[in-house]
Amino acid sequence: MKPVGVELRRIAMPLVSPFRTSFGTQTTRDILLVRIETADGEGYGECVTMTDPVYSPEYTDGAIDVLRRFLVPALLGPPELDPRAVAPALVAFKGHRMAKAALETAVLDAWLRARALSFGEWLGATADRVPAGVSVGIMDSVPELLDAVEGYLADGYLRIKLKIEPGWDVEPVRAVRERFGDDVLLQVDANTAYTVADAQHLARLDEFGLLLIEQPLDEEDIRGHAQLARLVRTPICLDESIVSARAAADAIALGACSIVNIKPGRVGGYLEARRIHDVCAAHGVPVWCGGMLESGLGRAANVALAALPGFTLPGDTSASGRYYMTDITEPFVLQDGHLLVPQGPGIGVSPVPERLAEVTVSTEWIGR
Ligand code: NPQ
Ligand code: MG
């Protein structure tokens, strides 16, 4: 597959409602799309960076800079493109996993389209649909939260995740349990908002039978998570800390988590994401697919990954309408609480040109 060039496109997608987490409130999703053009066709990858480095150290202007100056030139140098050769070609450049993931995904999409193979088939998917969970932001009041959860349950979501932070944890969880009962699959995500000194407080969540507590402590605090795991009964799941298959293996070996949230962007792409799936499966550690408010492009690839056999918990793979009034692809819709795994070549969905044009903020072409 001969490379021609790479287009970086920044789009702005308004959210259906503000999304508040322990690191801030988002009203618009600022997304970077990477499109590679080859002699055999094009491919898309979605970069999951945020505008500001508040979820991870990466951020969108940084991703654009490293792609333009280092990653794309290194990729376009050799005359042939192969998805398995992307990570080795970029290994000299440290970090920037989200930028690398977007570029690798674009190559993989083009390569699979040229071979009429779907993402799911190539990754090893064993399901044709995946159960959908939903992530519910921090609200101004408990009644507002209960209204939101009621709506998502009515939509058919099979698992609810509440965003928490100090001051918004035990009471909202108690209220959701009291109103909707013990059968609802329920979990919480702190996005690093606590310290190990909060262990006794977090143990108050034990009585609610949560599936897991996600990333309570700092991303680098693996030992703290291992300590916490011994002080609370709710299983610990790591998100921000899991930046690679090695990080996953270490966290498991140290007892820092018993469940892993896999986000392909955070770990450098779908190949590394599959390695994490494999490491976790070998340890009997359940995994689920996280979400970064992707457009239909990133969502399609995530849904394919979530169809691998080790993904035994519902993910944050929600319908397009959870976040966007209009998606840039055909929307993902819930069918009986599930999303269908795209079956078409590559990621299996394509942007609608007029819709893409409407949300585009800027584009940049990087040729060979
Ligand atoms: C998480 N996602 O699991 C993240 C974090 C997150 C679905 O809860 C804009 C862009 C806003 C990316 C808010 C979910 C975001 C974002 C939260 C990612 O930790
Ligand atoms: Mg998380």
Side-chain angles (χ1 to χ4, degrees):
M1 213 168 52
K2 311 227 177 299
V4 175
V6 168
E7 181 191 73
L8 305 180
R9 177 185 298 261
R10 205 161 179 170
I11 64 174
M13 302 207 15
L15 297 175
V16 293
S17 53
F19 189 37
R20 179 172 158 201
T21 67
S22 63
F23 56 77
T25 304
Q26 312 292 314
T27 55
T28 301
R29 183 70 170 105
D30 167 29
I31 299 178
L32 173 65
L33 299 178
V34 175
R35 185 177 65 88
I36 191 154
E37 234 176 81
T38 81
D40 304 311
E42 63 176 13
Y44 273 100
E46 179 166 338
C47 184
V48 301
T49 51
M50 297 178 64
T51 311
D52 300 342
V54 290
Y55 163 83
S56 83
E58 293 188 71
Y59 63 104
T60 304
D61 279 321
I64 291 172
D65 187 72
V66 78
L67 280 159
R68 178 199 296 131
R69 294 175 61 197
F70 302 105
L71 307 182
V72 173
L75 189 78
L76 296 181
E80 278 294 322
L81 277 176
D82 179 306
R84 282 155 299 204
V86 174
L90 307 178
V91 75
F93 306 112
K94 310 293 188 189
H96 297 283
R97 290 179 170 94
M98 293 176 176
K100 289 175 177 176
L103 194 53
E104 184 188 78
T105 304
V107 173
L108 185 53
D109 183 36
W111 190 85
L112 291 172
R113 280 176 197 271
R115 282 158 184 76
L117 261 179
S118 76
F119 236 68
E121 273 176 285
W122 186 80
L123 285 170
T126 52
D128 54 15
R129 59 174 206 163
V130 302
V134 62
S135 178
V136 186
I138 294 167
M139 308 266 166
D140 292 332
S141 70
V142 166
E144 249 182 282
L145 174 71
L146 294 177
D147 283 350
V149 171
E150 180 173 35
Y152 292 130
L153 291 173
D155 291 342
Y157 283 104
L158 298 171
R159 185 226 67 191
I160 301 289
K161 161 168 136 180
L162 303 182
K163 290 294 196 176
I164 60 166
E165 66 182 3
W168 182 265
D169 42 36
V170 177
E171 288 326 308
V173 168
R174 182 192 308 284
V176 168
R177 271 289 181 240
E178 274 176 5
R179 169 80 176 275
F180 302 105
D182 292 339
D183 290 344
V184 173
L185 298 183
L186 186 64
Q187 63 192 54
V188 293
D189 185 358
N191 289 110
T192 76
Y194 297 86
T195 73
V196 79
D198 298 313
Q200 286 319 313
H201 179 71
L202 292 172
R204 293 179 60 203
L205 293 170
D206 284 348
E207 65 173 292
F208 301 109
L210 301 177
L211 287 169
L212 58 89
I213 176 170
E214 182 179 346
Q215 198 70 44
L217 314 180
D218 186 84
E219 65 178 273
E220 296 183 1
D221 195 3
I222 299 302
R223 200 164 53 159
H225 282 101
Q227 256 180 290
L228 183 64
R230 283 183 244 106
L231 298 170
V232 303
R233 273 188 291 123
T234 308
I236 308 285
C237 171
L238 291 177
D239 172 1
E240 284 89 333
S241 297
I242 306 299
V243 297
S244 63
R246 174 179 288 153
D250 289 351
I252 293 165
L254 293 168
C257 67
S258 52
I259 300 174
V260 168
N261 166 339
I262 302 183
K263 286 178 182 166
R266 188 188 66 227
V267 306
Y270 288 83
L271 282 74
E272 186 73 2
R274 183 170 56 184
R275 281 179 214 116
I276 297 178
H277 163 273
D278 296 349
V279 163
C280 290
H283 285 90
V285 168
V287 303
W288 54 280
C289 184
M292 291 292 284
L293 284 59
E294 288 88 348
S295 75
L297 294 173
R299 196 164 298 277
N302 285 349
V303 169
L305 178 72
L308 267 61
F311 285 78
T312 54
L313 290 168
D316 281 342
T317 42
S318 305
S320 299
R322 156 68 183 88
Y323 296 112
Y324 305 112
M325 192 76 89
T326 321
D327 207 332
I328 55 167
T329 64
E330 54 183 289
F332 280 86
V333 291
L334 283 189
Q335 296 195 10
D336 198 19
H338 292 69
L339 296 183
L340 298 185
V341 178
Q343 300 295 325
I347 60 175
V349 299
S350 303
V352 177
E354 310 78 61
R355 181 61 194 143
L356 190 57
E358 277 171 16
V359 294
T360 296
V361 174
S362 59
T363 63
E364 170 176 350
W365 176 255
I366 308 166
R368 281 196 84 193

